[in-house]
Amino acid sequence: MKTTLSQDQVFDSQTSRPNIPLTPDEERILALYPGGTHADWEDWRWQIRNRIRTLDSIQRIMKLTPWEEHGVIGAGDKLTMSIPPYFAALIDPEDAGCPIRLQSVPQEYEFETAPEEMLDPCGEDKSSAVHGLVHRYPDRVLFLVNEMCAMYCRYCTRSRMVGDGNHTLNASTYDAALNYIRQHKEVRDVLISGGDPLTLGDRMLEYIISSVRSIPHVEFVRIGTRIPVTLPQRITPELLAMFKRYSPIWMSVHFNHAKEVTPRVKHACNMIADAGIPMGSQTVLLRGVNDNPEVMKKLFHELLKIRVRPYYIYQCDPIVGSRHFRTSVETGVNIMQNLRGHTTGYAVPTYVIDGPGGGGKIPIAPEYIVSHSNGRYVLKNFAGELYTYVDPAY
Ligand SMILES: *Cc1c(COP(=O)(O)O)cnc(C)c1O
Ligand code: SF4
């Protein structure tokens, strides 16, 4: 039985563009661009060029609340508002609580600060070995290659640096980072992130990936990106053909809500998986977006269907202006408790808090050890029942 479409059926062979019909919401947004065609919609560069960035353009697609209007007016150069038309079509124009809207449309609460908040909560600048390279863990580094993203997430932990203006990371800063990696033989894993590396063109990406992969002690690279979610059109056969030349490559994709898993995103992730690139998801726990067990479970089930393994849930970092997004740690622990044992183990990520100031990822788990003495562990299972395990020495 034939269950999948062949490459020729999915792609228009002239243009390498998938034949996915536009949804009514996509048609509604596309109609706002005079002369805009279905082919434009499939073109990731058109999507980038036509991102929604001004008060005027966002008011044409929805009626803003007063707190959103103040947010849009006040959002500055860093973490500018920027929403690709594709992602804007997922926003519910009638519902200010829409999870896509909360993530992408600024609110005036961003300009408030709380005492625990920091500009660089993960202490990345402090752990920066050379500009754009963070070496925190013994055997792996974070290589930041740009400051641009398709969409700027309003809770971004790197809001101090991401945005469309004032770029400091580019081909001229890569040399020092690459030299550092060459000189540090303990580095076996390089996580390429930004910004979003996939907003770079194929040629620049290939330069970065091939340079890293040519370092003998680097065993593999990972790409940290949100593009498969916010701009799935960027995932082209040409891009994947290039990635395949530098296998093994892993990908960490930032997903926060099941609503993000559209037919287009499914198509992109299937192509990535078919190219031999394993994907893990990184999810930020956000108030009103995904701060309940059922919403998280739905997301993780959707991800397993497109071969994305839930990898981390991050407690929202205490980034300046993020108070309205942050939930209690108890909320996160409760979500974990409602996942483990209650659904497929592959759908259970690790819940972590990045130690504020630069501690790295610290796993937070529900307490399953009820007591422990003389080699006797009293354990609680997922259903709350008690079991005793005795250490072999006793
Ligand atoms: C998250 C992170 C990594 C990768 O951590 P893993 O647990 O291996 O996924 C590496 N370096 C920095 C600075 C990080 O924040
Ligand atoms: S994609 Fe990542 S780096 Fe870019 S704005 Fe969102 S969270 Fe920040």
Side-chain angles (χ1 to χ4, degrees):
M1 190 178 72
K2 199 164 185 315
T3 54
T4 53
L5 296 173
S6 75
Q7 196 82 342
D8 283 353
Q9 286 171 292
V10 174
F11 284 98
D12 175 337
S13 55
Q14 294 294 301
T15 59
S16 307
R17 288 181 182 129
N19 299 315
I20 298 177
L22 297 188
T23 65
D25 285 318
E26 290 181 317
E27 297 278 12
R28 171 174 57 85
I29 303 291
L30 180 60
L32 298 172
Y33 295 89
T37 64
H38 190 168
D40 287 335
W41 194 263
E42 302 297 348
D43 176 354
W44 70 274
R45 292 187 185 277
W46 183 91
Q47 290 278 341
I48 293 256
R49 275 197 308 276
N50 288 288
R51 286 175 300 167
I52 290 155
R53 309 193 46 187
T54 63
L55 180 63
D56 179 55
S57 56
I58 194 151
Q59 277 174 331
R60 292 200 301 161
I61 65 170
M62 69 178 99
K63 176 152 173 36
L64 296 177
T65 64
W67 57 93
E68 287 171 331
E69 188 169 331
H70 294 149
V72 173
I73 293 167
D77 191 31
K78 290 294 168 194
L79 211 70
T80 34
M81 176 177 73
S82 159
I83 312 173
Y86 160 78
F87 204 65
L90 299 180
I91 292 178
D92 185 336
E94 309 294 335
D95 177 11
C98 163
I100 304 297
R101 183 159 165 173
L102 290 174
Q103 294 181 67
S104 56
V105 180
Q107 300 181 36
E108 64 186 1
Y109 314 113
E110 284 180 20
F111 314 127
E112 294 171 5
T113 59
E116 69 278 13
E117 292 178 346
M118 302 174 220
L119 270 172
D120 179 16
C122 299
E124 291 179 336
D125 292 342
K126 195 182 70 185
S127 302
S128 187
V130 298
H131 186 51
L133 198 84
V134 185
H135 193 178
R136 165 157 312 135
Y137 298 109
D139 65 343
R140 54 208 191 279
V141 292
L142 172 64
F143 182 9
L144 304 175
V145 298
N146 66 351
E147 287 124 318
M148 180 179 163
C149 303
M151 190 275 279
Y152 296 108
C153 314
R154 306 321 302 168
Y155 49 83
C156 177
T157 198
R158 298 202 185 109
S159 56
R160 70 185 184 285
M161 57 177 277
V162 304
D164 275 13
N166 297 327
H167 288 177
T168 67
L169 297 167
N170 52 54
S172 69
T173 60
Y174 300 162
D175 278 350
L178 290 166
N179 273 331
Y180 181 94
I181 300 169
R182 272 185 210 107
Q183 285 158 11
H184 287 76
K185 297 218 161 39
E186 69 277 20
V187 176
R188 38 167 288 287
D189 163 8
V190 176
L191 170 49
I192 297 171
S193 185
D196 197 316
L198 297 192
T199 57
L200 297 172
D202 291 7
R203 227 182 299 163
M204 183 60 93
L205 269 173
E206 178 159 18
Y207 169 74
I208 294 167
I209 295 170
S210 65
S211 302
V212 174
R213 289 289 284 123
S214 72
I215 300 171
H217 51 271
V218 174
E219 297 171 359
F220 73 107
V221 301
R222 297 191 256 179
I223 297 171
T225 176
R226 200 165 192 208
I227 285 275
V229 179
T230 53
L231 185 50
Q233 289 91 334
R234 172 71 185 97
I235 308 302
T236 60
E238 296 77 14
L239 177 71
L240 294 170
M242 186 272 279
F243 284 166
K244 272 179 127 165
R245 290 199 287 278
Y246 302 98
S247 176
I249 294 180
W250 287 61
M251 203 180 267
S252 294
V253 187
H254 176 167
F255 273 100
N256 288 336
H257 195 277
K259 204 176 168 185
E260 294 165 349
V261 186
T262 64
R264 224 168 272 277
V265 167
K266 289 178 185 167
H267 178 72
C269 288
N270 278 329
M271 285 170 63
I272 296 169
D274 285 349
I277 300 170
M279 286 169 285
S281 70
Q282 317 205 84
T283 298
V284 183
L285 178 58
L286 298 167
R287 180 189 299 277
V289 173
N290 56 19
D291 58 341
N292 91 52
E294 288 315 309
V295 172
M296 280 290 194
K297 199 191 280 182
K298 176 97 174 35
L299 168 63
F300 298 150
H301 289 175
E302 288 301 314
L303 293 182
L304 289 187
K305 282 156 62 180
I306 56 170
R307 291 180 279 174
V308 178
R309 161 76 152 107
Y311 182 40
Y312 283 130
I313 293 178
Y314 292 99
Q315 176 68 10
C316 186
D317 291 321
I319 185 75
V320 168
S322 66
R323 185 137 173 207
H324 56 300
F325 279 124
R326 282 182 281 128
T327 64
S328 66
V329 174
E330 195 188 351
T331 302
V333 171
N334 178 50
I335 288 170
M336 295 308 295
Q337 212 153 14
N338 279 280
L339 291 173
R340 174 62 68 198
H342 297 275
T343 189
T344 313
Y346 280 130
V348 185
T350 305
Y351 172 43
V352 293
I353 299 183
D354 230 300
K361 299 175 183 70
I362 301 170
I364 307 294
E367 192 55 83
Y368 292 106
I369 300 177
V370 175
S371 68
H372 163 216
S373 68
N374 298 329
R376 291 175 70 83
Y377 284 82
V378 179
L379 308 170
K380 190 171 66 186
N381 78 352
F382 77 100
E385 300 154 350
L386 300 185
Y387 292 85
T388 302
Y389 181 86
V390 180
D391 269 349
Y394 281 83

